[in-house]
Amino acid sequence: RSQLIGYCRYTFKGNHYEVSIAVTPRHHGQGLGKHLLSETLKLIVKRSLPVTAVIRRTNHASLKLFSQLGFILEKRGTHYCYLRYI
């Protein structure tokens, strides 16, 4: 039986893509999010448009993951951090 354990979605926002990723809590810490994000970035950057991410300031695991894969902080808001892939 198959079940969904996570996703990585890119939404076209006119002049860039915004990435959203999630892995079920039961599967955290197994490197699945890193694998999903790194493999999909290889495909999406071929389209030559910037990739951004909006992450809650309290989501330290996601902030670390995105940073490890080449995203930089563009702006820190009250509740969210805005990152861009370089």
Side-chain angles (χ1 to χ4, degrees), residues 14-69:
N15 63 350
H16 70 280
Y17 290 98
E18 187 174 289
V19 63
S20 174
I21 186 169
V23 174
T24 58
R26 182 173 156 210
H27 293 91
H28 285 182
Q30 299 176 22
L32 297 172
K34 187 173 189 174
H35 180 73
L36 275 173
L37 185 56
S38 65
E39 291 302 312
T40 58
L41 276 171
K42 291 176 189 175
L43 299 171
I44 204 74
V45 296
K46 291 179 181 178
R47 298 186 181 213
S48 300
L49 289 174
V51 178
T52 63
V54 180
I55 302 172
R56 285 189 185 277
R57 287 182 64 160
T58 56
N59 190 342
H60 303 292
S62 284
L63 290 168
K64 181 180 176 182
L65 168 65
F66 278 76
S67 175
Q68 287 175 344
L69 293 178

